[in-house]
């Protein structure tokens, strides 16, 4: 009888942990918390996660998946896959260079004693400096997965909220579906593996992106009315979520 119980328990745990976890995030872009869009974090039993925006998918219902990443009408602004070692990202801003990039990240987190409740979970405060911004996040030990919104990871639990110190960007979990029976389409899970021929170096892509931003800035300056003086000078990436990069600091060293 004990063997049967242990077998049933084993089978139950196999099913329980073989299902996906889905977290829906509301993304805000200013201090007034005006919703910009909704994004999804999809966590698989293999400890990989996908973070994406795509209005063609509805992950709240098992039978409501529709559209594909190849659909011309799909509205994709964010598409990131995270593994234990790397983050793979689909970049789209440079029109002539829509491509995939492997980005190896190192976070230096400081975990604090301050807590708050998010969606019924006790969450702990943590801070880090990442690519030109200071971030405050809240994570929960109750869901022990190495994942979070956008590129955030490497804390001992699921990250449910993240905001930069200037309140330009905020990610806030609005729904958590544990052990979801929704099957994540292979075109999402295997997209990066199936398109490795499109990979480019991250630093190379950012160089192209910066050149595009500089060109736009020059065009705006050329069309500015004569005599108009801006009260404040802005950097070309000041409005971007990644304002600076670690290799820029390396290049300044003697």
């Amino acid at each position: 009888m004990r063997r049967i119980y242990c077998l049933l328990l084993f089978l139950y745990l196999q099913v329980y942990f073989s299902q996906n976890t889905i977290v829906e995030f509301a993304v805000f872009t200013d201090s007034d918390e005006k919703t910009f869009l909704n994004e999804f974090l999809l966590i698989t039993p293999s400890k990989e996660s996908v973070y994406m925006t795509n209005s063609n998918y509805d992950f709240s219902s098992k039978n409501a998946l529709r559209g594909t990443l190849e659909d011309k009408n799909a509205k994709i602004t964010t598409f990131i896959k995270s593994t234990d070692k790397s983050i793979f990202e689909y970049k789209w801003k440079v029109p002539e260079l829509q491509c995939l990039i492997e980005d190896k990240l190192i976070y230096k987190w400081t975990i604090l004693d301050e807590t708050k409740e998010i969606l019924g979970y006790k969450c702990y405060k943590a801070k880090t400096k990442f690519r030109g911004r200071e971030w405050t996040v809240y994570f929960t030990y109750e869901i022990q997965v190495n994942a979070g919104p956008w590129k955030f990871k490497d804390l001992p639990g699921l990250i449910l909220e993240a905001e930069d110190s200037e309140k330009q960007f905020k990610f806030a979990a609005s729904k958590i579906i544990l052990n979801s029976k929704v099957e994540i389409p292979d075109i999402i899970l295997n997209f990066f593996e199936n398109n490795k021929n499109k990979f480019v170096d991250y630093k190379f892509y950012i160089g192209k992106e910066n050149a595009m931003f500089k060109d736009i800035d020059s065009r705006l300056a050329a069309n500015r009315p004569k005599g108009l003086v801006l009260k404040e000078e802005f950097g070309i990436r000041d409005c971007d979520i990644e304002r600076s990069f670690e290799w820029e600091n390396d290049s300044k060293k003697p």
Side-chain angles (χ1 to χ4, degrees):
M1 190 68 178
R2 183 178 179 182
R3 289 183 180 179
I4 295 175
Y5 171 79
C6 291
L7 178 61
L8 290 174
L9 178 62
F10 173 78
L11 293 174
Y12 172 79
L13 290 174
Q14 288 294 101
V15 172
Y16 185 87
F17 288 107
S18 65
Q19 295 174 333
N20 301 308
T21 296
I22 298 172
V23 187
E24 185 173 344
F25 284 90
V27 182
F28 307 102
T29 57
D30 55 44
S31 57
D32 293 330
E33 297 194 351
K34 181 180 179 181
T35 303
F36 177 58
L37 41 77
N38 288 330
E39 296 181 338
F40 295 94
L41 174 66
L42 315 173
I43 305 168
T44 70
S46 62
K47 297 183 180 180
E48 294 182 342
S49 64
V50 175
Y51 185 77
M52 65 181 294
T53 304
N54 190 342
S55 62
N56 282 33
Y57 286 93
D58 180 357
F59 295 102
S60 61
S61 172
K62 183 177 181 180
N63 299 316
L65 291 175
R66 58 189 186 278
T68 71
L69 291 172
E70 296 172 345
D71 189 337
K72 294 181 179 179
N73 296 318
K75 296 179 181 179
I76 302 172
T77 55
T78 304
F79 187 41
I80 298 169
K81 181 174 181 177
S82 176
T83 66
D84 286 341
K85 297 180 179 179
S86 299
I87 282 182
F88 301 90
E89 183 175 7
Y90 171 75
K91 300 289 279 187
W92 54 271
K93 288 182 182 177
V94 181
E96 69 275 12
L97 193 63
Q98 295 188 10
C99 55
L100 313 173
I101 300 167
E102 181 179 10
D103 193 9
K104 296 183 182 295
L105 306 178
I106 299 176
Y107 288 101
K108 295 181 180 179
W109 292 105
T110 300
I111 299 176
L112 306 173
D113 291 331
E114 185 176 336
T115 65
K116 73 175 182 178
E117 185 175 298
I118 300 175
L119 298 178
Y121 293 93
K122 183 178 181 180
C123 295
Y124 286 79
K125 188 177 185 178
K127 289 192 171 187
T128 190
K129 292 182 180 180
F130 179 67
R131 291 185 171 167
R133 295 185 183 276
E134 294 184 15
W135 290 92
T136 298
V137 309
Y138 284 88
F139 73 96
T140 178
Y141 289 103
E142 297 174 46
I143 306 177
Q144 293 192 356
V145 295
N146 181 15
W150 189 49
K151 296 182 178 182
F152 296 117
K153 57 184 297 187
D154 292 345
L155 279 169
L158 178 63
I159 300 169
L160 295 180
E161 186 177 296
E163 185 175 24
D164 75 299
S165 59
E166 298 172 26
K167 299 186 181 298
Q168 285 188 290
F169 296 92
K170 181 178 180 179
F171 304 85
S174 57
K175 182 188 298 184
I176 301 175
I177 306 174
L178 296 175
N179 310 307
S180 169
K181 296 180 180 179
V182 172
E183 293 184 9
I184 303 173
D186 288 340
I187 193 170
I188 292 177
L189 292 179
N190 302 323
F191 184 79
F192 291 94
E193 289 80 354
N194 294 339
N195 290 276
K196 286 185 177 181
N197 60 314
K198 297 179 182 178
F199 277 22
V200 299
D201 180 71
Y202 195 82
K203 185 177 179 180
F204 171 80
Y205 180 89
I206 293 300
K208 293 289 186 181
E209 199 173 75
N210 285 344
M212 181 188 70
F213 289 158
K214 287 179 181 178
D215 180 63
I216 293 172
D217 189 56
S218 297
R219 291 171 185 266
L220 291 174
N223 293 322
R224 193 176 299 151
K226 291 183 179 180
L228 177 64
V229 178
L230 297 178
K231 293 183 179 180
E232 186 177 355
E233 290 292 329
F234 295 94
I236 60 171
R237 300 194 67 92
D238 276 2
C239 294
D240 198 84
I241 193 169
E242 293 180 305
R243 283 202 297 210
S244 61
F245 300 88
E246 51 276 11
W247 58 79
E248 295 171 343
N249 295 328
D250 293 339
S251 64
K252 294 177 182 178
K253 295 179 181 178

